[in-house]
């Protein structure tokens, strides 16, 4: 049988699938549900220093091949998340806490708090496409990314992953900046900036007008970003963006991803998607004679 285990920094995953930030990640019990369904790791909803209520409704709209969301970083604040993780006690896979901040120091403070409540790693959200003074407003600038990562690494011992935005001319510059700052891995990609208009009223549908597109529509964009980043940095790449089937997961891994995150597909398929992906991946590898996932990471660069 082919081995599905992968390692990213000090994290050992039984398989290369992860719950993506933003979906089912605001409660300890749902994180545990996803872990029990077979995810190799789970990522929380992005947490900041203080509670935020998010944008007004509607916050999500379905489109042809995905979802457009503008939730607006709703979260209870990192201090209130402690209780959630306690209630989820016994999550048997690595828990990655997605965090955001408005300054490099704030990223570091939230990361330190995340470590203290039991995070195995943090994922810096420098890529939310519709947040003011945080998210992509930081993550579209390589200097600001480097500073946020450097400060976080200096202040905490937790592994640091950096989630990148595709809403730039050159994502490779962002990945290199994260690596220079000392990041342990980069996640590519967050949602693609998007908008939906109701033609009856002529008005934007989302409360915030602008949002982020996720789901199958962005999959080829994610594959291109992962392929480019893999050639430019030495740290692992975690793929994210439109994965629905095991074939998608194989494509991301061959492009250069060591692990893959699943978000929007859960809305359509439920948490069973993790078992479907790992079963399919395992059968594919066995059929093709691959012994472990590392043999196919970046395969498309060698063939
Ligand atoms: O909460 C959101 O509206 C949100 C976030 Br933090 C993010 O990183 N990406 C996204 O599409 N939505």
């Amino acid at each position: 049988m082919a081995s599905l285990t992968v390692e990213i920094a000090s994290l050992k995953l039984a398989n290369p699938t992860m719950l993506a930030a933003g979906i089912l990640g605001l409660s300890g019990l749902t994180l545990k549900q996803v872990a029990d369904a077979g995810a190799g790791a789970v990522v929380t909803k992005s947490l900041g220093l203080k509670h935020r209520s998010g944008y007004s409704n509607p916050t999500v709209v379905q489109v042809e091949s995905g979802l457009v969301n503008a939730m607006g970083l709703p979260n209870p604040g990192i201090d209130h998340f402690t209780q959630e993780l306690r209630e989820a006690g016994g999550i048997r896979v690595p828990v990655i806490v997605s965090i955001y901040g408005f300054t490099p120091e704030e990223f570091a403070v939230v990361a330190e708090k995340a470590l203290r409540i039991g995070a195995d790693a943090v994922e810096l959200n420098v890529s939310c496409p519709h947040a003011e003074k945080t998210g992509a407003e930081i993550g579209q600038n390589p200097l600001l990314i480097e500073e946020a990562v450097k400060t976080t690494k200096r202040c905490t011992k937790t592994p640091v992953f950096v989630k990148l935005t595709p809403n730039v001319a050159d994502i490779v510059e962002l990945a290199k900046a994260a690596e220079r700052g000392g990041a342990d891995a980069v996640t590519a990609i967050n949602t693609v900036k998007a908008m939906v208009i109701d033609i009856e009223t002529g008005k934007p549908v989302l409360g915030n007008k602008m949002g982020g597109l996720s789901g199958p529509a962005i999959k080829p964009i994610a594959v291109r970003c992962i392929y480019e980043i893999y050639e430019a940095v030495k740290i692992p790449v975690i793929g994210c963006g439109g994965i629905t089937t095991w074939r998608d997961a194989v494509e991301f891994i061959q492009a250069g991803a060591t692990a893959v995150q699943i978000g929007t597909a859960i809305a359509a398929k439920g948490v069973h998607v993790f078992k479907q992906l790992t079963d399919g991946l395992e059968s594919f590898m066995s059929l093709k004679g691959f012994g472990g996932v590392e043999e196919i990471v970046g395969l498309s660069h060698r063939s």
Side-chain angles (χ1 to χ4, degrees):
M1 239 170 86
S3 163
L4 292 184
T5 59
V6 294
E7 286 186 27
I8 299 177
S10 56
L11 274 59
K12 291 182 180 27
L13 276 59
N15 72 69
T17 67
M18 296 181 177
L19 172 70
I23 313 270
L24 297 180
L26 254 190
S27 120
L29 286 179
T30 50
L31 287 170
K32 184 164 186 318
Q33 209 186 341
V34 172
D36 291 347
V42 291
V43 186
T44 69
K45 173 80 184 142
S46 296
L47 298 160
L49 212 45
K50 295 189 199 134
H51 162 270
R52 253 175 87 110
S53 345
Y55 300 142
S56 52
N57 285 324
T59 53
V60 186
V61 53
Q62 191 163 3
V63 292
E64 290 77 5
S65 287
L67 300 174
V68 182
N69 89 84
M71 310 294 293
L73 293 131
N75 78 100
I78 187 88
D79 288 333
H80 288 90
F81 203 69
T82 316
Q83 189 57 24
E84 288 300 335
L85 283 188
R86 209 169 278 142
E87 277 170 20
I91 295 182
R92 290 189 309 268
V93 302
V95 176
I96 300 154
V97 175
S98 170
I99 64 170
Y100 69 90
F102 293 85
T103 62
E105 291 71 29
E106 200 171 309
F107 270 104
V109 170
V110 182
E112 183 56 24
K113 283 174 179 278
L115 184 63
R116 261 189 263 134
I117 65 173
D120 295 293
V122 293
E123 182 179 83
L124 308 195
N125 183 347
V126 288
S127 44
C128 178
H130 44 254
E132 278 178 27
K133 304 209 162 36
T134 184
E137 288 197 10
I138 294 173
Q140 284 166 333
N141 180 332
L143 290 177
L144 297 182
I145 291 189
E146 190 177 341
E147 196 54 36
V149 180
K150 237 185 218 160
T151 309
T152 308
K153 287 295 288 186
R154 202 169 44 233
C155 301
T156 67
K157 288 196 166 42
T158 175
V160 172
F161 306 161
V162 181
K163 189 163 182 178
L164 301 175
T165 177
N167 302 308
V168 283
D170 185 9
I171 197 168
V172 167
E173 284 311 309
L174 308 180
K176 284 186 185 166
E179 185 177 50
R180 272 197 308 277
D184 297 278
V186 289
T187 303
I189 55 176
N190 206 317
T191 52
V192 177
K193 194 166 184 179
M195 188 176 189
V196 181
I197 290 171
D198 175 354
I199 62 162
E200 298 303 328
T201 61
K203 289 184 179 160
V205 174
L206 291 168
N208 185 58
K209 297 185 182 160
M210 303 286 170
L213 175 63
S214 62
I218 70 167
K219 199 191 79 179
I221 300 174
V223 171
R224 184 266 300 169
C225 290
I226 295 160
Y227 190 94
E228 287 184 333
I229 293 169
Y230 181 82
E231 300 217 322
V233 300
K234 293 197 168 55
I235 52 178
V237 184
I238 301 165
C240 182
I243 292 174
T244 309
T245 67
W246 65 263
R247 288 177 176 276
D248 300 334
V250 171
E251 188 179 353
F252 274 50
I253 295 169
Q254 291 183 343
T258 299
V260 292
Q261 296 185 347
I262 319 300
T264 303
I266 297 171
K269 294 189 154 188
V271 294
H272 307 295
V273 68
F274 289 98
K275 181 93 175 42
Q276 290 166 5
L277 290 180
T278 48
D279 284 353
L281 179 58
E282 207 280 321
S283 301
F284 171 82
M285 286 172 36
S286 296
L287 200 69
K288 297 275 189 183
F290 294 115
V293 175
E294 69 283 356
E295 289 175 36
I296 52 169
V297 173
L299 188 68
S300 60
H301 299 260
R302 303 187 287 277
S303 42

